[in-house]
């Protein structure tokens, strides 16, 4: 997970990751969340902790540390211990250096903070999370490893105390007002590395004297949970996705391309979010039948279903034709061989708006 000549090899090797994740959630055979307790099965604990994989530590508002063995929480993951190789990649994108202050945005289980403390020293590292329990638990476990970063409990979409030479975020930031405090916390001349919510785009850049962050979309991708302000993520567009499963649709057509699991087609998913911010997805298979669902906060929805790779039957309703928008993106990908995202220039303005450009292509995210 770490190159033999990497300066991060020793920190990763020295951090006892299992101590940061004594309990975690895994999907069982039916897809339900099942609690795993490390101390009761040391062999499985070590195997999970030292594999290069993310471990889900919180589902909805229920942390694994606080759960009972028969608990079966429902909802989306809200915190995890990120896989070590991805943590190292984000740290590399952050261009850390001796004596530079670092904000670890999204404490989680404390893995990034631990690596950074080992590499940079405690005095250079601040770690922030919205969840008081996560901050407290990570702080206690880090202290047992003799790591003492500054720990802050705060909602980064509203306030980020202090200023920092480097910000590395392992939560996905939402362009617009919620990104403004993070941009404001970056020191002039400082560098940020983050992903954007509902995309897999890694954004890096340097803050200039005017307060803009100038950089690029890295030719690298990652998926992180979006920032949240409360105990859980806002409710998904459940009613609209249910409607998409059942309704006939105002507009019916035959799609041009096979049904795709958009959520796992990272570049398509990212371009869809850039084009139509806020789209939520679902996907299911039934034998050889594949069905994709899209829903937008404005009330638009789409359903596309087909056997294997046959042209799908598409149902759509609402003010926007979501599947048509996705097919335009896929058509561009097929015609040009690539989408303009990876390698695009980025400008983050102090108001939190993300401006993207590549050649003649332009897009903005978060503008009102």
């Amino acid at each position: 997970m770490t190159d033999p000549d990497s300066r991060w090899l020793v920190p990763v090797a020295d951090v006892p990751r299992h101590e940061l994740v004594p309990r975690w959630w895994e999907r069982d055979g039916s897809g339900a969340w099942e609690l795993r307790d490390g101390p009761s099965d040391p062999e499985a604990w070590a195997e999970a902790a030292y594999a290069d994989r993310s471990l889900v530590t919180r589902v909805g508002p229920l942390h694994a540390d606080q759960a009972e063995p028969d608990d079966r929480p429902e909802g989306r993951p809200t915190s995890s211990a990120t896989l070590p190789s991805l943590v190292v990649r984000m740290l590399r994108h952050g261009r850390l250096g001796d004596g530079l202050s670092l904000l670890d945005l999204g404490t989680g289980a404390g893995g990034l903070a631990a690596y950074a403390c080992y590499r940079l020293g405690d005095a250079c590292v601040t770690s922030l999370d919205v969840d008081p329990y996560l901050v407290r638990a990570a702080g206690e476990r880090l202290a047992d490893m003799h790591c003492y970063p500054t720990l802050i409990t705060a909602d980064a979409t509203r306030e980020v105390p202090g200023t920092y030479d480097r910000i590395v975020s392992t939560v996905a930031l939402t362009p617009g007002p919620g990104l403004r405090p993070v941009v404001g916390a970056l020191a002039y001349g400082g560098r940020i590395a983050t992903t954007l919510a509902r995309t897999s785009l890694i954004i890096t850049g340097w803050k200039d004297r005017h307060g803009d962050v100038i950089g690029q979309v890295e030719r690298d991708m990652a998926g992180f949970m979006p920032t949240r302000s409360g105990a859980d993520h806002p409710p998904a567009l459940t009613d609209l996705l249910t409607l998409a499963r059942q309704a006939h649709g105002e507009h019916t057509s035959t799609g041009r391309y096979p049904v795709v699991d958009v959520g796992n087609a990272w570049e398509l998913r990212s371009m869809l979010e850039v084009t139509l911010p806020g789209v939520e997805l679902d996907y299911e298979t039934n034998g050889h039948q594949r069905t994709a669902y899209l829903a937008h906060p404005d009330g638009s929805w789409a359903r596309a279903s087909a056997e294997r790779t046959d042209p799908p039957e598409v149902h759509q309703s609402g003010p926007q034709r979501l599947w048509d928008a996705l097919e335009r993106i896929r058509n561009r990908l097929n015609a040009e061989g690539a989408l303009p995202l990876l390698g695009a220039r980025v400008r983050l303005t102090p108001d939190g708006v993300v401006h993207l450009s590549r050649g003649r292509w332009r897009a903005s995210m978060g503008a009102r």
Side-chain angles (χ1 to χ4, degrees):
M1 68 181 70
T2 306
D3 296 337
D5 61 348
S6 171
R7 64 178 179 172
W8 292 105
L9 178 61
V10 171
V12 172
D14 285 353
V15 169
R17 188 177 184 233
H18 72 284
E19 294 181 11
L20 296 173
V21 196
R23 305 177 100 199
W24 68 98
W25 296 106
E26 283 187 7
R27 296 280 194 183
D28 64 16
S30 67
W33 291 107
E34 183 177 29
L35 183 65
R36 300 297 301 274
D37 181 73
S40 66
D41 190 346
E43 185 176 343
W45 189 14
E47 182 180 350
Y50 295 104
D52 192 25
R53 54 178 282 205
S54 292
L55 299 176
V56 173
T57 54
R58 194 172 184 274
V59 175
L62 184 58
H63 199 289
D65 290 347
Q66 302 168 324
E68 298 295 332
D70 57 351
D71 282 337
R72 294 293 184 271
E74 296 182 356
R76 294 176 288 177
T78 46
S79 189
S80 69
T82 303
L83 64 157
S85 64
L86 179 53
V87 173
V88 170
R89 280 164 50 202
M90 294 302 293
L91 288 166
R92 286 172 174 162
H93 284 306
R95 307 272 185 87
L96 277 58
D98 293 340
L100 297 175
S101 58
L102 166 68
L103 175 64
D104 161 29
L105 192 55
T107 305
L112 189 149
Y115 299 160
C117 285
Y118 272 71
R119 175 69 181 82
L120 303 174
D122 301 345
C124 293
V125 182
T126 299
S127 187
L128 181 152
D129 203 289
V130 70
D131 189 318
Y133 176 78
L134 288 173
V135 173
R136 184 171 68 255
E140 292 171 354
R141 290 162 185 165
L142 289 168
D144 289 341
M145 302 175 189
H146 307 291
C147 293
Y148 303 95
T150 299
L151 296 168
I152 297 174
T153 302
D155 180 353
T157 67
R158 299 179 180 176
E159 178 190 15
V160 178
T163 56
Y164 306 90
D165 300 314
R166 299 290 187 267
I167 297 177
V168 175
S169 178
T170 52
V171 290
L173 304 179
T174 301
L179 184 52
R180 185 186 306 151
V182 179
V183 175
L186 186 63
Y188 291 105
R191 181 176 175 84
I192 187 172
T194 186
T195 58
L196 300 179
R198 294 191 179 90
T199 82
S200 302
L201 305 179
I202 299 177
I203 303 296
T204 62
W206 303 89
K207 191 170 185 178
D208 67 17
R209 60 188 179 88
H210 303 293
D212 292 348
V213 176
I214 307 299
Q216 65 180 0
V217 179
E218 295 288 340
R219 294 184 179 276
D220 186 11
M221 305 185 87
F224 289 109
M225 299 173 197
T227 53
R228 55 185 172 86
S229 294
D232 199 352
H233 294 303
L237 301 175
T238 306
D239 292 344
L240 203 55
L241 287 168
T242 299
L243 184 64
R245 284 182 171 82
Q246 301 171 350
H248 183 72
E250 299 169 358
H251 180 75
T252 305
S253 63
T254 300
R256 180 175 183 179
Y257 299 110
V259 174
V260 63
D261 180 1
V262 183
N264 285 313
W266 282 13
E267 200 169 359
L268 284 179
R269 175 62 176 118
S270 299
M271 192 65 173
L272 182 62
E273 178 64 17
V274 171
T275 306
L276 291 174
V279 173
E280 292 197 18
L281 313 168
D282 203 356
Y283 176 80
E284 61 189 19
T285 59
N286 183 8
H288 298 302
Q289 189 81 11
R290 308 193 304 177
T291 307
Y293 308 93
L294 288 74
H296 191 273
D298 70 1
S300 303
W301 61 264
R303 178 181 72 250
S305 186
E307 289 277 332
R308 294 190 171 90
T309 58
D310 291 345
E313 180 180 283
V314 181
H315 293 259
Q316 303 181 84
S317 283
Q320 302 188 80
R321 298 287 180 256
L322 303 182
W323 195 260
D324 292 354
L326 179 64
E327 293 216 324
R328 286 193 292 270
I329 294 171
R330 298 177 74 179
N331 188 62
R332 180 172 190 167
L333 177 60
N334 289 343
E336 300 180 12
L339 295 172
L341 292 175
L342 301 184
R345 288 180 55 80
V346 172
R347 180 167 61 94
L348 308 183
T349 48
D351 57 0
V353 176
V354 179
H355 302 274
L356 304 168
S357 62
R358 186 173 182 183
R360 297 181 180 179
W361 177 74
R362 301 284 187 278
S364 293
M365 304 174 69
R368 291 189 172 182

